[in-house]
Amino acid sequence: FPSQRASLSPDGRLFASGLSSPNYRWEVWSVETAKPIASLSGFYVLDQLGRFSDDGKWLASRNNNATIAVRDTASGQIRHLLQGHTSEIEDVAFSRDGRWLASGGKDRTIRLWPLAGGETRILEGHNQNVNGVVFTRDGKSLVSVSYDQTVRIWPLDGGEPQTLTLPTPLN
C-alpha cells in the first residue's frame, strides 16, 4: 500500500506531501496559493520523513538505504546527498541557522552534516536506536532521544553530553 506523509515549513509558507509508493515523490506546495511549486521525484525522496529548514529553502528526506537527500525547494534539485549511516535513519533536523543537518539512526549514532562543507561529526553514546534529534533554540546544543531510555544533550562546542535517564523507552 502507498504511504503518504506531510511536512509544513516552520514559517508556514510551504507544505510538502510525500508518496512512498509506487512513484516515490514529494510535492512542495505554496500554502498561500494552494499550488505546487516543485516536484521532487526519484529514488532519494522515497520515505516517510521530510523536514524543512527554518527558512523553507531546503527539504531533507531519507531513503531506506541510509541516505539523506537535501533538496532546494524552489527547483527540486538535490544539493546534498549525505551518506554515512550504516542502517535506517530515524530522524533528521536542521539547525536554526541552516549550517547543520543532524540525523539519528538505528546504527545508534548521530551525524552532524555541515551543509557548507567540512567534516561530518559522529556522536556516539546511545546503546539503542536514536529515534529523535532536535537542535536547541539557541543553537548551542543538539538533543537526542533513544530507545535506550535516555535523552542526551550534546554541546556543539565538543563538550561531553549530559545524559538523562527516563523510566520507559522512548520512540
Side-chain angles (χ1 to χ4, degrees):
F1 291 99
S3 175
Q4 295 181 332
R5 304 294 185 221
S7 184
L8 184 67
S9 66
D11 62 10
R13 294 182 310 127
L14 300 174
F15 178 83
S17 60
L19 183 64
S20 66
S21 177
N23 297 321
Y24 309 121
R25 65 186 242 180
W26 287 90
E27 296 287 338
V28 178
W29 303 77
S30 164
V31 171
E32 182 180 326
T33 65
K35 295 185 185 215
I37 60 170
S39 179
L40 316 179
S41 61
F43 183 72
Y44 290 108
V45 291
L46 70 85
D47 196 86
Q48 65 260 38
L49 186 64
R51 296 281 190 265
F52 282 99
S53 59
D54 271 17
D55 60 10
K57 291 181 181 178
W58 307 102
L59 178 70
S61 59
R62 64 176 177 153
N63 70 12
N64 288 338
N65 68 357
T67 302
I68 301 167
V70 179
R71 293 183 180 249
D72 181 304
T73 56
S75 70
Q77 297 296 311
I78 294 175
R79 297 297 181 204
H80 303 280
L81 194 57
L82 308 173
Q83 298 173 310
H85 281 281
T86 59
S87 63
E88 188 175 347
I89 297 161
E90 293 292 312
D91 197 16
V92 297
F94 284 96
S95 62
R96 293 193 73 186
D97 62 10
R99 292 181 47 222
W100 297 93
L101 180 77
S103 58
K106 289 185 176 180
D107 62 3
R108 304 175 183 182
T109 68
I110 299 153
R111 298 193 185 253
L112 288 172
W113 311 90
L115 297 178
E119 290 293 315
T120 301
R121 290 175 54 191
I122 301 172
L123 306 177
E124 297 177 294
H126 285 293
N127 298 319
Q128 293 292 323
N129 301 350
V130 178
N131 297 332
V133 291
V134 64
F135 287 91
T136 58
R137 286 200 164 280
D138 65 9
K140 294 181 181 179
S141 301
L142 178 77
V143 179
S144 61
V145 62
S146 170
Y147 203 67
D148 67 8
Q149 297 178 233
T150 65
V151 173
R152 293 179 191 251
I153 303 168
W154 307 84
L156 296 180
D157 65 6
E160 288 297 313
Q162 179 182 1
T163 303
L164 308 168
T165 303
L166 301 173
T168 59
L170 301 171
N171 193 5

